[in-house]
Amino acid sequence: MSKYIKTTPLTQIERIAIVQGGGRSLAQVRQAEGCGLICNAGFYGFGTGKPTHHLKADGKVLAKEPWSCWGFAWDGGSDISMEALPSDRKNYIGAYELLSPMVGINDALSYGAELGGSRGRTAMALAGDKLILYCSGDGTRDAATLEEVQEELRRLGAETAVYVDGGGSSQCDFGGGETIRSSRKVYSYLCVWLKPQKEDKPMSKKVCLDPGHGPGCVNGSPDGSYKEHEFAWDMSQRVRAHLERCGVAVVMTRDGTGYPSLTERCGVSNKAGVDLFVSLHSNASGDGKSWTSPSGYLIYTSAGPETAARNVAARAVLKRVREAGIAVRGGGLEHNAEYTVLARTTAPAMIIEHGFHTSREDTALLKTGDYRAKLAEADARGVLDFLGLPWVAETPAGGTDTPAADWAAEAWQKARDKGVMDGKRPADGITRQELAVVLDRLGMLD
Ligand SMILES: [Zn+2]
C-alpha cells in the first residue's frame, strides 16, 4: 500500500504537536515522542533546510512570512481549527490551502511547478469533528495532483484542508503497519497522541504477513508466465482478508511496490510484537531456468522440537492444507535455521512455499484464482487454529459474488480463470464497452 488516510475523532486526541526533526528520521522521532500518529508536515527550503510559510510549535514561531494565509491552529490538540495565520494560538501550520474560506472546491488551484504534477502528498483536513491525515508515497501509483487530493478529501467530508508538503518528503506512520517510508529527514513532523482506548474486545491476536520478495525480483516460472513476487503479494492480500475478518490484527512487511530487505522485514515483525510471523513464497528447484519435477506445498521453520510454537503452528496449517486436498511435499515440514526471516524474528516464524514454480503442474495451479483461494483459506484456517480463534464465514457483499447458473458454470469458471472476465455479477447485462474489453482480452481485436 502506498497511501493511507487516517481519520480520528477530535475527542480521541490527547495532543498534537509540531516536532522539529533535527536530523532525525520519522521512525526516530516517533520512537522518541511515543506518538500514535506521525507524518511529515511543513514546507522547508530544500537547499537551506529552513522552514517556510507559517509555522509555530509550542509557542515558538519557527517560520513567518509577510503575507497571511489560512492554516490549522491549536493549543492542545482536540481544539484544532482553521484560522487566519499568523495567530495567537500555541501551534499552527500554514502550508498550501486546499479547502479554506479563500479556496472552495470549484476554485482553480494555482501553484508553481514545484507543487505540480503527480507526486507523493501529505495533507491535513478537518471533517466535522474529525481530523484527517492523508499521506501517499512519492513515485507510487497513489501519487496524485493537488486537485485529486483536494477532491478526495472533499469526498471524505473535509470542509477545510491544507497540503503540508510532499514529493520525497511524504512519509507517515499511522500504526498497525500503515507506513509510508522515505529516507528524507524533514524539517518538521506532525505528531498526534491518542487517548488510551477502552478495549471493547478481548486483546486481539496479531500476525505479521511477509509477502516474499518484491517488484523487480526475477524469481518465477521458466516460461516467464508466473512471477513469485506477484503471487506472494496476491496471497498476502487473500490471507490478510481472512485473518482480519476473523478478528486478527495483521501487520505487513511490505506494500505492493516496496522491496524491503530480509532484516527490515524481521524488524517490522519484532517491533509490532506479533504472535506469529508467516512468510509467503513459492519454491524453486534446479537452476530455475527449466522445468523440473519437484512439486508440492512445504513449510520451513528454523528447527525442532515439534513442541516449539513455530512447529505447532506449522502443523496446524499443514492439517488444514491436507484437508483442502492440496498436494504436500514429503512430510510437509522442514527446518532451516539459515533463513534470515526464521532466524531473526522473535515471534514463532514459518516460511510457506506454496508449491514449486519450477514444476509445470504446480505453476499451472499457482496461476489460477481458485487454487490461490484454496491455499489462502487453508493458510488462514491453520493460523486461526494455532491462535485459538474461530473461522468467520465470508458474507457475500450485496450479491456481487453470487455463483453463476448451472448451465453457465463451466464457461463462467473458464472466463474467470483465463482473466477474460472478473468473475463478478454473473447475471448482469454487458455493456458495449465491456464487450469490447472482453473481445480484446480474447485477442480478437489485434
Ligand atoms: Zn521466495
Side-chain angles (χ1 to χ4, degrees):
M1 285 129 291
S2 47
K3 177 171 75 180
Y4 294 104
I5 300 170
K6 192 74 180 178
T7 301
T8 310
L10 296 180
T11 52
Q12 288 181 13
I13 292 177
E14 181 87 54
R15 186 160 80 91
I16 304 177
I18 303 276
V19 176
Q20 288 173 261
R24 292 176 298 170
S25 69
L26 177 138
Q28 287 170 325
V29 172
R30 185 174 197 250
Q31 185 156 28
E33 299 289 338
C35 53
L37 314 175
I38 184 169
C39 60
N40 66 297
F43 288 110
Y44 62 102
F46 200 60
T48 64
K50 294 232 164 43
T52 60
H53 296 62
H54 287 286
L55 194 64
K56 187 175 179 183
D58 204 19
K60 190 175 164 201
V61 175
L62 299 174
K64 179 161 101 178
E65 304 285 355
W67 36 266
S68 69
C69 67
W70 291 89
F72 288 116
W74 66 95
D75 289 315
S78 57
D79 58 337
I80 188 169
S81 64
M82 181 159 271
E83 285 191 13
L85 304 182
S87 85
D88 291 337
R89 305 290 285 275
K90 280 172 75 178
N91 306 278
Y92 55 68
I93 178 165
Y96 184 82
E97 297 171 35
L98 291 174
L99 293 167
S100 75
M102 296 301 292
V103 181
I105 190 69
N106 295 318
D107 295 327
L109 299 179
S110 70
Y111 44 79
E114 77 283 2
L115 294 186
S118 276
R119 56 176 73 208
R121 302 286 185 184
T122 307
M124 300 168 63
L126 284 175
D129 58 354
K130 295 187 181 72
L131 172 71
I132 300 177
L133 297 181
Y134 176 111
C135 187
S136 61
D138 201 35
T140 70
R141 76 181 83 116
D142 287 312
T145 64
L146 283 175
E147 286 80 3
E148 287 165 344
V149 176
Q150 180 199 48
E151 170 61 20
E152 188 167 5
L153 289 170
R154 191 195 59 85
R155 267 191 282 112
L156 291 168
E159 293 116 16
T160 54
V162 290
Y163 167 61
V164 294
D165 206 4
S169 293
S170 267
Q171 51 191 302
C172 71
D173 188 345
F174 296 154
E178 297 190 356
T179 304
I180 304 284
R181 291 190 179 83
S182 164
S183 56
R184 191 175 293 176
K185 291 162 179 149
V186 299
Y187 175 79
S188 52
Y189 299 91
L190 186 82
C191 292
V192 180
W193 290 261
L194 304 174
K195 291 179 182 162
Q197 292 299 296
K198 279 196 211 100
E199 289 287 338
D200 52 359
K201 276 194 248 172
M203 278 296 285
S204 80
K205 300 282 187 179
K206 249 195 250 180
V207 168
C208 182
L209 288 180
D210 173 40
H213 314 283
C217 176
V218 297
N219 292 6
S221 62
D223 63 359
S225 65
Y226 167 96
K227 288 271 173 284
E228 185 187 351
H229 74 87
E230 287 169 1
F231 168 81
W233 175 250
D234 183 39
M235 283 299 294
S236 74
Q237 296 306 294
R238 291 167 184 268
V239 175
R240 177 183 190 169
H242 287 313
L243 293 179
E244 288 185 338
R245 190 184 65 251
C246 299
V248 177
V250 175
V251 179
M252 304 290 296
T253 58
R254 72 166 168 100
D255 59 20
T257 54
Y259 197 162
S261 72
L262 296 174
T263 311
E264 284 168 339
R265 293 170 199 245
C266 298
V268 170
S269 178
N270 295 347
K271 192 177 153 209
V274 299
D275 299 286
L276 185 67
F277 175 92
V278 183
S279 190
L280 305 165
H281 290 256
S282 56
N283 218 335
S285 75
D287 62 4
K289 296 197 179 86
S290 48
W291 297 116
T292 49
S293 59
S295 66
Y297 184 107
L298 183 64
I299 297 181
Y300 284 101
T301 64
S302 57
E306 285 291 291
T307 49
R310 56 185 171 271
N311 293 319
V312 173
R315 291 284 175 212
V317 172
L318 282 168
K319 180 165 181 285
R320 291 293 187 174
V321 163
R322 287 201 178 89
E323 282 171 7
I326 293 160
V328 171
R329 178 167 186 76
L333 177 58
E334 292 184 11
H335 303 304
N336 190 328
E338 302 286 299
Y339 290 136
T340 305
V341 296
L342 298 180
R344 296 178 64 176
T345 41
T346 48
M350 67 173 96
I351 294 174
I352 302 182
E353 303 282 4
H354 290 88
F356 282 70
H357 55 247
T358 43
S359 154
R360 205 186 284 274
E361 294 72 28
D362 277 6
T363 300
L365 286 171
L366 292 172
K367 288 192 325 197
T368 69
D370 275 14
Y371 192 68
R372 291 180 183 190
K374 193 191 263 196
L375 289 169
E377 180 170 337
D379 289 354
R381 281 183 182 271
V383 167
L384 291 165
D385 290 344
F386 170 70
L387 297 173
L389 294 173
W391 173 260
V392 177
E394 287 169 87
T395 42
T400 51
D401 264 324
T402 47
D406 284 351
W407 57 267
E410 192 182 335
W412 184 250
Q413 192 59 45
K414 284 187 196 166
R416 284 181 60 170
D417 288 350
K418 297 215 185 292
V420 175
M421 294 176 73
D422 63 8
K424 296 199 174 120
R425 302 175 287 110
D428 271 15
I430 188 163
T431 64
R432 292 159 65 87
Q433 58 191 2
E434 284 170 335
L435 178 62
V437 169
V438 167
L439 292 174
D440 188 40
R441 286 178 184 164
L442 290 169
M444 295 174 76
L445 305 180
D446 297 321

